[in-house]
Amino acid sequence: MIRLVKVCKRLGGQNILRELTLHVERGEVFAIMGGSGTGKSVTLKHMVGLLEPDRGEVWIDGANLAVLNRAQLKGLRRRFGYLFQSGALINWLNVGDNVALPLREHTRLGRTDIQQRVAERLRWVRLIGDEHKMPAEISGGMKKRVGLARAIVLNPDIVLYDEPTSGLDPVTARAIRALIREVNDRLEATSVMVTHDILDATDTADRIGFLFDGRIEFVGTPAEVERTDNARVKNFLKGLDDQTSVAEAVPS
Amino acid sequence: MGLLHHTGRVVADYCTGAGYAILLMLRAARHIDGSFRKIPEIAGHLYVYGIRTFPVTAVMGIFFGAILALQTGIELDKFGQVEAIGMVVSAAMCREMGPFITGLVLTATVGSNMAAEIGTMRVSEEIDALEIMAIDPVRFLVMPRLLALVLVCPILTILVDFLGVTGGMFVSVAQLGVAGEVYREQALEVLRYSSTIFDLPKDVYTGLAKSFVFGLTIGTVGLSAGMRAEGGALGVGRAVRRAVINSLLLIIILGYYMTWICYR
């Protein structure tokens, strides 16, 4: 469904992605884990064509993004939902209008149908009754849930999540994780999530990829991650840097 | 070498910015046929850009006309020509000062506001969100704002022209001893001398043409500065500063060339 082949990207004088190769299967939830500033969000932005690779290819459902024209890319993007780290809500539109925006722009649905669809999606994210609140009046967790409702309002084939639980309290984070799984199953979508929280990955993902030094170093199911002998993965999960071995850092 | 390198970078940055702004304006123009769907939004912008900025524009217009009348009237009085003051104020306001004052006020209020608003949307990923939702930010954000400003600028200019001439009349009557009727007749007479298009005197329509160009310039510069903002709050601040400086420079330079073309 999503294939990145030897993608290289240089930003701000630094090599962020170095021949990153990744394959996400249709219908799965794939988590990309890695430390801050390792290029997780950059990887996600390549998938939706917000960034173009310096070298390498990005394939979505058999289409190479590099050869698509503006109209084709626009058409492809309608199949995506994207949850930004901050929610990225349009600040002068209320919650209901934010969720309704893709419907108003891309469908011929009438006012009543739009209201029904918006109410349904807000019910999915447990925000029913908050339609008239402005983004400035709601908490960070609520913004993410509104962002999620907006991302899935057009029934996308692919949903991308950028740090869906960062900065949230444990209860809200758990609710968001449950929502991601639920949304993926209800819409029969393919989901990719970038996170540095192992709970996000193990609770939600079918497979987890670990991003180190601009490339995916290990991919496995949560069970395989738990059993892995990969030192870098083990160090990362224990909160150690690459130079410190597990044996040195963990007291016997 | 360092200075040369720095100068080269500044020039390259300016050229990139200018190219981006021109392309943005052309892309916005391509979406003008969709403006009917955006009438409520455009009306909202018209209200903010027109009604909200009118008080400050009006005060500037009245006092500028008054200053112009006072300064010029004192000098004209030395030659016994003070009764021609209406002519001077009317011609200066309609040709030059009306569009310039309006441009100045709209740069400070609307141009900076556009750069800050769109810049904040850029750095908070709202514009990325629009692009991912396959919503063209130029059609959704740029076109309605630019169109509203282009419509507002000539309307405000006409009001400033009128208020400036009126401000000049108060000073002429109260402080220079010119009869109100004489001032009014002189103010209209100078406009009658010039050629007309659709009954509009040349001094008025060239002023309106200038204000149209100024509106387009302020909007394009402000919006493109916002669209190119990067680097958080600092980047938004830089975008606002860039928008104000570039708009002011372009207004004065374009104003000169338009005057040269129309009156040489």
Side-chain angles (χ1 to χ4, degrees):
Chain A
M1 186 71 174
I2 302 172
R3 206 151 53 89
L4 276 69
V5 184
K6 293 189 172 179
V7 168
C8 298
K9 186 69 182 178
R10 194 175 165 80
L11 290 169
Q14 284 188 309
N15 290 316
I16 306 295
L17 302 182
R18 303 169 192 219
E19 300 204 335
L20 180 139
T21 295
L22 172 69
H23 187 200
V24 180
E25 302 284 351
R26 188 183 299 274
E28 74 172 337
V29 177
F30 190 94
I32 301 172
M33 287 203 71
S36 299
T38 51
K40 301 189 299 294
S41 298
V42 171
T43 306
L44 216 56
K45 286 179 178 173
H46 275 85
M47 291 180 187
V48 76
L50 269 184
L51 289 175
E52 290 175 15
D54 298 334
R55 284 203 312 276
E57 293 168 355
V58 180
W59 293 77
I60 305 293
D61 207 10
N64 182 355
L65 293 194
V67 301
L68 299 183
N69 60 30
R70 189 186 283 264
Q72 288 169 325
L73 184 61
K74 202 173 161 183
L76 186 73
R77 279 179 176 165
R78 288 188 198 179
R79 296 175 56 196
F80 277 91
Y82 196 113
L83 174 61
F84 282 85
Q85 205 169 344
S86 61
L89 303 180
I90 306 300
N91 60 38
W92 73 80
L93 297 178
N94 66 27
V95 165
D97 287 337
N98 259 291
V99 179
L101 185 60
L103 293 170
R104 291 195 181 123
E105 291 288 327
H106 298 309
T107 70
R108 293 177 184 276
L109 291 177
R111 184 183 291 238
T112 315
D113 291 332
I114 288 177
Q115 278 175 348
Q116 280 175 355
R117 179 82 73 90
V118 168
E120 183 191 51
R121 291 301 187 268
L122 286 175
R123 194 165 51 248
W124 286 14
V125 299
R126 290 149 188 100
L127 279 175
I128 199 77
D130 292 316
E131 290 92 334
H132 300 294
K133 289 184 178 163
M134 298 303 287
E137 297 169 345
I138 59 178
S139 67
M142 288 169 83
K143 279 181 190 161
K144 287 207 170 166
R145 282 188 282 162
V146 177
L148 179 54
R150 187 179 66 182
I152 60 176
V153 77
L154 283 177
N155 297 335
D157 297 334
I158 303 164
V159 191
L160 308 179
Y161 301 89
D162 190 355
E163 303 277 10
T165 63
S166 69
L168 299 182
D169 65 86
V171 178
T172 312
R174 193 174 169 194
I176 295 267
R177 283 196 285 271
L179 268 172
I180 292 171
R181 193 69 243 186
E182 194 181 328
V183 162
N184 198 70
D185 295 344
R186 277 195 190 192
L187 296 179
E188 297 177 351
T190 303
S191 300
V192 181
M193 163 196 346
V194 302
T195 180
H196 53 247
D197 186 340
I198 186 63
L199 274 177
D200 283 355
T202 52
D203 280 11
T204 317
D206 297 305
R207 288 192 305 148
I208 305 167
F210 285 84
L211 181 62
F212 297 117
D213 295 333
R215 58 173 72 92
I216 296 287
E217 185 152 318
F218 176 88
V219 177
T221 62
E224 287 167 344
V225 169
E226 209 172 305
R227 292 195 304 266
T228 186
D229 291 329
N230 186 305
R232 293 187 91 179
V233 172
K234 287 169 83 171
N235 280 353
F236 177 75
L237 295 177
K238 289 184 183 298
L240 307 172
D241 64 35
D242 283 348
Q243 277 70 45
T244 318
S245 73
V246 178
E248 283 170 3
V250 180
S252 54
Chain B
M1 191 63 188
L3 181 68
L4 200 64
H5 180 71
H6 178 73
T7 310
R9 274 185 58 184
V10 170
V11 171
D13 192 42
Y14 257 92
C15 291
T16 309
Y20 182 88
I22 291 166
L23 284 177
L24 188 73
M25 184 176 68
L26 295 175
R27 281 179 64 195
R30 269 182 46 208
H31 291 294
I32 204 84
D33 56 335
S35 55
F36 288 108
R37 279 186 66 197
K38 296 270 180 193
I39 283 175
E41 207 183 321
I42 293 168
H45 293 311
L46 281 172
Y47 171 75
V48 174
Y49 302 163
I51 307 294
R52 290 262 181 91
T53 57
F54 179 66
V56 63
T57 321
V59 170
M60 293 262 303
I62 290 169
F63 276 89
F64 208 92
I67 292 167
L68 195 63
L70 195 58
Q71 288 281 17
T72 321
I74 290 167
E75 295 305 313
L76 285 174
D77 199 24
K78 291 176 185 168
F79 303 98
Q81 295 289 322
V82 74
E83 291 192 340
I85 188 67
M87 201 181 283
V88 175
V89 174
S90 175
M93 286 306 298
C94 294
R95 287 182 187 184
E96 222 46 71
M97 292 307 158
F100 182 69
I101 291 167
T102 310
L104 210 63
V105 172
L106 289 178
T107 297
T109 54
V110 179
S112 59
N113 174 276
M114 281 176 170
E117 188 182 17
I118 302 296
T120 305
M121 289 187 74
R122 170 59 82 193
V123 300
S124 62
E125 296 183 310
E126 288 173 48
I127 292 177
D128 286 347
L130 288 173
E131 285 178 0
I132 289 171
M133 286 188 280
I135 298 170
D136 186 348
V138 176
R139 180 180 60 77
F140 188 75
L141 299 172
V142 174
M143 186 275 288
R145 285 166 174 76
L146 192 56
L147 183 61
L149 187 56
V150 166
L151 292 173
V152 152
C153 204
I155 297 169
L156 278 179
T157 299
I158 290 174
L159 293 169
V160 168
D161 288 351
F162 174 75
L163 291 169
V165 173
T166 308
M169 189 176 79
F170 287 140
V171 168
S172 301
V173 171
Q175 292 179 273
L176 299 171
V178 177
E181 188 58 32
V182 172
Y183 180 93
R184 198 179 67 85
E185 189 52 39
Q186 291 284 323
L188 292 174
E189 191 63 26
V190 72
L191 301 181
R192 281 193 210 112
Y193 284 148
S194 58
S195 55
T196 59
I197 292 180
F198 299 120
D199 285 340
L200 273 179
K202 184 179 179 183
D203 290 337
V204 176
Y205 72 70
T206 53
L208 290 182
K210 273 184 192 173
S211 65
F212 174 84
V213 172
F214 290 172
L216 199 59
T217 304
I218 296 162
T220 303
V221 170
L223 290 164
S224 64
M227 290 289 278
R228 294 180 71 219
E230 54 185 15
L234 270 178
V236 175
R238 275 195 297 269
V240 172
R241 191 185 61 203
R242 199 184 308 137
V244 171
I245 291 171
N246 291 347
S247 290
L248 289 176
L249 289 174
L250 280 170
I251 282 174
I252 201 78
I253 293 167
L254 288 173
Y256 165 76
Y257 280 106
M258 287 188 74
T259 304
W260 183 67
I261 290 165
C262 296
Y263 288 97
R264 68 189 165 134

